Each structure stands twice: as C-alpha cells, then as structure tokens.
Amino acid sequence: MPKKNPPIPGTPGSGTPTLAEPTEPTEPLPPKPDQRAPALGTATGQPVDGPDTARGQQGEHLTTAQGARLYDTDHSLKAGTRGPTLLQDHHLREKITHFDHERIPERVVHARGAAAHGVFRGYGSAEPISKAAFLGKDVETPVFVRFSTVLGSRGSADAVRDTRGFATKFYTGEGTFDLVGNNIPVFFIQDGIKFPDVVHAAKPHPDREIPQAQSAHDTFWDFVSLHTEATAHTLWNMSDRGIPRSYRMMEGFGVNTFRMVNAAGESSLVKFHWKPKLGVHSLVWEEAQIVNGMDPDYHRRDLADAIESGAYPEWELGIQAFPDTPDQTFEGIDLLDPTKMVPEELAPVQPIGLMTLDANPTNFFAETEQVAFHPGHLVPGIDVTDDPLLQARLFSYLDTQISRLGGPNFGQIPINRPHAEVNDMLRDGMHQTGVHPGVAPYRPNSLDAGCPFLAGPDTAFVEVPVPMPESTKLRAAPASFDDHFSQARLFYASLSPVEQAHVAEAYTFELGKCYEQVIKERALEVVANIDPGLCEQVAAGLGLPAPAPTVAYDAAPTPSPALSQVGAEWPLDGRIIGIVADDDSDLSEVADAVEMIGKNGMVPLVIGPHGGELGSGKGAVPVSRTFLTMRSVEFDAILVAAPASDPRVHVLLAEAFRHCKAIGGWAAGRGLLEAAGIPAEAPGILIADDASALFDGITALMKSHRVWERQV
C-alpha cells in the first residue's frame, strides 16, 4: 500500500485557510510549531510567566494602537462620499504615520541576514582555561544566531560571492556573550581604521549604486590590489567558501584572537571555530547564478525549511588555544594580526560545546532585524586582546546600534534582553521601557540603601591585567604584520585540484568584469605572489601576460588538509532529493522512494508534469514541484522514474549532471536519462531495477556532497 508523503516544509501559517473570507471572530492564531519568540522577561532581566504569545497582538477585534475597537479600516473619514478627507481622522493619521516609520536604517554591512533560535550545551572541556560558566559540562544556554552576507543591501540575493557573517548571542546566567565572526578565518585589514576604506571599496559604486552585492567591479579590485594585506581574505572569497551551499554547511570563525582566563586567574589566547556537523559545502558558480534569479532567498529559505522539517542544524564550538606569551605569537604567526590564521595541524581545534538551532523566529523584524551584537558583550572568563581590528570593533558595534535602533536602550528590545539580572544605574534615553524605582542611580549612595553593590572578583567580570610595554605613541604596525602573501599561498596549496580550478575561474570572472586595464594588471601582480600557475591561468583568461612574482619564498607551503572542503563524508540530514515522475510511472515505487527518503532524515520532493497528485485514489502521490516550478539547484540528487520527454526535465538533468550531483534512474527513467544526454557510464550515474536498489548507492554518493570525478 502506498505510504503517506511526509510533510514538506514551507507552510505559511499555523492555521488552515478557508476558501471564503472568515467572518467568525477569533483570537490571533499561535505561531507555527517551528517558531519561537524571545524569552519572556522584563527590561532588567527578570523572568516573567506567561504564554509565548504574550508580546503578540491580543483580542478578536481590530483596534487603534490605544485599544479602541474599530468598525472600518477601508475608508478614510470624508466630507461626503466624494468629498475631501478630514484632518480629524485619527485612525487614518495613526495608521499612515506608523506605516511611514516602519523602516529603520539597515546595517551598513551584514544588512541581509537570516536567524534562528537554539541551545548551546557545554562539554566542560574548556574549564581548564576558562571560568565562563556557560562552558561548564552539560550547561545549556539559549542562543540566537544570525547569518548574513556582508556587501549587499537587505533586498539583495543570498547566493552571491561574499563573506558571510556568523553571529551568536549566548544568553548566559552571567550576562550576554556575543561571538561575532565570519565564515572566513582571516580578514581584509589589520587595523580597524581601514574598515571604512574596505567597505567603501567593496560596496556598489557611489555614482550608480551598482553592482549590488558583488565584488566583481573596479573599486574593489583597485583597493585590494593596492592594499595587499587583503590578499588572503580575497583568495578565500574567490574560493568555493565565497558561495556556501547553505548556512547549515558553513564554518564560522571568531577571526580575532581572544583571551580566556580560568578560575586560578591564568590566561590563554584563543581563536574560536564553529564546525558544522553536516560538513562544509558550497555551490558551484553556475548554480549560484541560477539561484539568484530563481530564488534570491535561497539561504534563508533553506535554514527555515530545515528547522521546520526537524533537520536541526548543529555546530561544534571549538577553540585553538595558545600560551599567553608577551610576544603573543605562535609558531611564528602573530596572533594579533587578523589577516592570519593558524593551521589546525599546528594547533588542533578542541571541541568545547555543541550548538543546535531548533526554532525559527516568530517575527523577522522584531528578532532578526533588531538583534544587536557587540564583541564587547563579554562574560567572566573571556576577554579581548590588543588586536587592532578588534579594538576598533569594540567602539564601532556599540555606536552603530545606537544609530540603527534609536538610542542607547537597544538592550531592552526583547531579542536583546539579557537572561541575567540587570542593575546598571543607566537611566532614561529614547525607548526606555524599564520602570526604575529608587532615587539614587549613583554610587556611593545611602538613599537606596547602598544598592547596587560591587561584586567580588570571583563573580564579576575582571579584565585580565596584561602588562603594557613602554612605547612611543605613533601610528604604525609591527614588522610581523608586513607578510601579506604566505597565508594566501598556504590556503591555495591546501585546496584540491577541483577547488583550485574554481579559484582560477573566480579570479578570471571577477577581474574580467573590471573596466580599467591597469587594475587587472595590478591584480595579476598580486596573484603572481600567491601562485605563479594560478596567475598564468587567470592571465590567459584575461588575455594578458602573466607577471613574475615580486616576493621570493624559500620553500613551498606545507598544505593544511583542514582547509579543503573535498575528501570527507558527511551526514545527510535535511538534504533534498527530487523524484521525477508522471501519471504513467509506477506510483507504488515512487511512494516507496518518498518513504525511504523521509525515514532517513531527508526531504523528498516529487516533480510532476502538473500540480496536485499523480494517479488517483489510495495510490495517489502528492506532487511537490512541477516541471514549471522546479529547477536543478533546489536538489542535492535526482531520481528519475518517468519517461517524460518534457524539455524542462532535460534541462534539469543536464544542469544536475554539470553540477556533479548524484543521478539515478529506474524503470522508464532509464530512457529519460538517455534522451537527456546523460551517459550511463559517467561517474555518479546509477541505474537499477527499482527505487530500493538505487537508494543506498545514491545516498553513499551524496555523503561526499558531489561527484567531483566528473570535473577532474
């Protein structure tokens, strides 16, 4: 008997709509099961009992903002049916005025993002180097994570070539800790004073405001070819890391070096790493171009759908720990230089906890848009270093939140409220929602019985007492910051041949979009110092001579296998398999395939010639996508169970083949593969008698993400 098709993510709301407009008054519907709102609490960290919907709209009837019920919201108050609108229409003025002020300034960078709620569970393995309580064994801490692109506006596309933000807010019992990083471990600049320069260069040209969300233009390459400390980050962007397959399959890095201190007061230097349980995986370039036209919300939809379907993404938080020596270096690498990373082979990443994202936001604006991160939100056991980029971030993040969120009380917005007691003596200001009793918001005082009191050093945040070297005040950088190419050479040498080919294609495309010839030539001079062979490939693509390197190195870099995305196998949770079928297919076999895929934690999407169902009666199979609404980029693998000759299916299969995805066929599907020009003997093409015989082979191929043998 055919099995029931598992639910497909993407349900718009928690209710079931009716064909006719509802007329019976009802309370607002609750959020969907996959959604969660910020924890209920006061502006000063006091938990509040109540339903999750306590901050949502209340009551069955439409009201003004002041709670007065309304009988009409479709017509303004007029002097007669054809007369002018009257100024006294308080409802019109309130409704329009609020609408006119709905938007707030978008973030200058990281404007486009997606977020989720989750929980972090400490392993206890960090206790020898950090007294932070949330890292203790089996301590569970609520988190809110926002992923983002850097360059584009809020309305840009997801699958652009860009750095991605990876910001995590830990609501710990000792205060809020924000770990604000990227999916790339190195940065464009060494000193925060250069941040306006790199952003101005990478943003759209100021005269035409184009190109949007892209680095393939003159101002970006003008800057990075002159400012060569950006070379390593630029190379990472040109690699597959610049176009992730999913936020769920993306590493995160703290970028800067931080300091940890244990209960004994001993300090260590650390770098933070987020390791996705699903592995690190990227789109190929043609896929990204298709995605941005087909579904510009690709990454945010993927994250929300995975959580809705129960495929909760997970990351292990790890640290690389280093001795806190006076020179703050490790194996010759300056730990205060944010353009440098430390290979994992030199300093292994030690897992210290597991993060699981298990709920979507209830309201995008209230949570994803208004969440405010700041690297200065620290807790006892974690401190900052003198990294000159981090030092500027400590000023910049706080400053920008005041501008975006209307004043200094942004921490009282529900998504930003601490889950710890707050008694800060800060008063008034725009959007103050706390109602503070007492008369003495100062210290020392006796009128408020001396409250608040200072905590002892055992429970308070205490800055690590780092000796300050005697020096002369000047604008300069240490000599160790002068090496701009060794890390780029290391990264490129660590990539597999197929990944290196993608890097060459990316440089060729990006520089090919530049107008000025001199910028292309200067960029090639930089690429030559990364790898002469890479430079020759890019130069050939641009029709230019390849310059010789200007920096000499004694030996080739030792590759770091941890930097390559290719060569391992990963879990398949939440992966999407498309099943091409029609009314003439063996629908019992299709239903069996749907059940097998769903039972193994993946999402089956049946692709048919029309919507609704294939077949009829008890044996009918629901259709999730039609030949009109599907595109290859949505699927991680394709199964074919139909003889359909529709040219759109041929395009689907041809694209999946080019993009190195696993493809399988059974029954009449064999003929369709042949008709689409898919060679049966090619790597990653499986033919079997039925769906069951295909399943193990297809899933084995998917564990490697792609069948890269087709490109080698």
Side-chain angles (χ1 to χ4, degrees), residues 50 129 138 196 242 245 252 279 299 318 333 339 355 361 432 436 439 534 540 557 592 603 651 658 706-707:
I129 63 172
D138 294 330
R245 157 64 177 84
H299 283 150
I333 300 170
T339 68
M355 180 173 72
Q432 174 63 256
H436 304 305
V439 297
L534 171 63
D592 285 342
V603 178
V651 172
R658 285 202 306 276
R706 296 184 193 266
V707 186

Side-chain angles (χ1 to χ4, degrees), residues 138-156:
D138 294 330
V139 174
E140 293 193 348
T141 302
V143 297
F144 189 73
V145 180
R146 186 178 187 272
F147 305 101
S148 56
T149 55
V150 173
L151 297 180
S153 67
R154 277 192 61 191
S156 59

Side-chain angles (χ1 to χ4, degrees), residues 35-56:
Q35 294 176 326
R36 185 185 305 158
L40 283 177
T42 68
T44 51
Q46 180 67 34
V48 175
D49 291 331
D52 291 342
T53 56
R55 278 189 295 255

Side-chain angles (χ1 to χ4, degrees), residues 8 32 42 155 211 214 264 280 299 302 304 319 337 343 404 411 434 445 450 464 475 525 610 639:
I8 302 301
K32 297 193 298 177
T42 68
Q214 296 181 53
V280 186
H299 283 150
D302 172 88
I319 55 171
D337 182 350
R404 290 192 66 245
N445 76 75
V464 178
R475 296 184 185 273
E525 293 176 356
H610 55 76
L639 300 181

